[in-house]
Amino acid sequence: MSEAQAGTTHRRGRLAALAALAAGAGAVAWALRDLPAAFGRRPDGEREERLRNSPQYRDGVFHNAPSELARPTAQAGIDVETVRRALFQRDGRTPSHPVPTVRPAEGAEVAAEGVAVTWYGHASALVEVEGTRVLLDPIWSERCSPAAQVGPRRLHPVPVELEELPQVDAVLISHDHYDHLDMATVRRLVRSQSAPFAVPLGIGAHLRRWGVPEHRIIELDWNETCTLGELTVTLTAAHHFSGRGLTRNTTLWGSWVIAGPNRRVYYTGDSGYFEGYARIGAQHGPFDAALVQVGAYDPAWADIHMTPEDAVLAHRELDAGLLVPVHWCTFNLGLHPWAEPIERLLVAAKEQGVPLAVPRPGERVDVDNPPEPDGWWEGIA
């Protein structure tokens, strides 16, 4: 090969490399195009003033209520042992076989006159109370992440498409973490539903950025109530935190009381065990059912997520009837084996005499006539 030919080949190689690099950069830019919007937005103007007036807000952020019962974390800062377990101890953290899902039965378009719960996986659920419907922390995306191409991926498909859901009376959000507040799902709900979004203080800014009309946004502080016809929803306390980017706790977090004229349901959201459950039970109970967080616990974050044993204790203090476990099964967010939350929950519930239903994703539970746990998870763990 002549020197001229070699130079031409070299230039072509460089051009090809540059073209490949440009294509790769373009693909990355396309994949991350929604990232800034997914982070949401901080409140401003008169809404910022409302945050500053909250008893939970000081020094520019929200705070948990003081607690003597909240379990301490293993240590502050970066826990090297926790990082090691997260990276290298992955056995058993995902199911070995497909997770069974259930599609809605015929006739489910009529809301229950009593109380019913349809769990779609993780913390997403449809609660029916005396003819009304409430959708909790809906996430229908493939990943719980600000980017569609990275982050924890679903361990089972959604049992039903979002647009197939019946019309609901309210969408309730517990806090702004990606596994509870999903931008793509919110945007789809703007089109497919007409119900308002009831959210803790500050989360309205995220919704406004994502195109939710102002008249469909209801922001509440702890112990504030919203009445929608015969349905009453109250934001109550939780022991957790918030944040979608590098800053934390600029929005509030909480749990929810869902009340009809005579029946009521409680949803914990994400929370560590704390005194609030006894107070909420005394003020708002008894409850026909409680949807209680049972998964993604670890000593490294014991103050913000309950263990299954904590969940049973909280359930009893809430003065609740049926316990429906949530925050497990769908995303690999903890360091424990996939089915461990339910296995431990069954033992603790039996010891404490707590009635329990463990539906498959998509399965509807009649709270007045719940099915006995049948161990459907055992063959796939």
Side-chain angles (χ1 to χ4, degrees), residues 356-376:
L356 177 69
V358 188
R360 296 160 178 78
E363 187 173 358
R364 185 173 184 255
V365 174
D366 180 350
V367 169
D368 294 329
N369 187 30
E372 290 290 331
D374 60 6
W376 61 264

Side-chain angles (χ1 to χ4, degrees), residues 145-159:
S145 167
Q149 288 72 28
V150 296
R153 192 170 189 171
R154 283 185 169 276
L155 302 177
H156 65 80
V158 291

Side-chain angles (χ1 to χ4, degrees), residues 134-158:
V134 171
L135 185 60
L136 301 177
D137 283 353
I139 171 169
W140 256 250
S141 291
E142 184 66 17
R143 299 179 187 270
C144 55
S145 167
Q149 288 72 28
V150 296
R153 192 170 189 171
R154 283 185 169 276
L155 302 177
H156 65 80
V158 291

Side-chain angles (χ1 to χ4, degrees), residues 266-349:
Y266 177 75
Y267 168 48
T268 64
D270 280 7
S271 179
Y273 176 72
F274 74 128
E275 294 87 342
Y277 294 120
R279 291 194 294 264
I280 292 166
Q283 184 175 356
H284 297 282
F287 297 99
D288 296 277
L291 289 79
V292 185
Q293 171 257 305
V294 301
Y297 48 83
D298 192 86
W301 50 84
D303 59 331
I304 57 168
H305 279 175
M306 290 186 287
T307 66
E309 294 78 17
D310 290 335
V312 171
L313 181 59
H315 186 83
R316 294 191 65 187
E317 293 183 352
L318 287 163
D319 193 12
L322 185 69
L323 193 161
V324 181
V326 299
H327 206 267
W328 80 285
C329 178
T330 306
F331 298 106
N332 181 9
L333 302 179
L335 306 183
H336 51 67
W338 174 76
E340 183 183 284
I342 295 306
E343 293 168 351
R344 288 174 55 173
L345 184 70
L346 285 170
V347 173

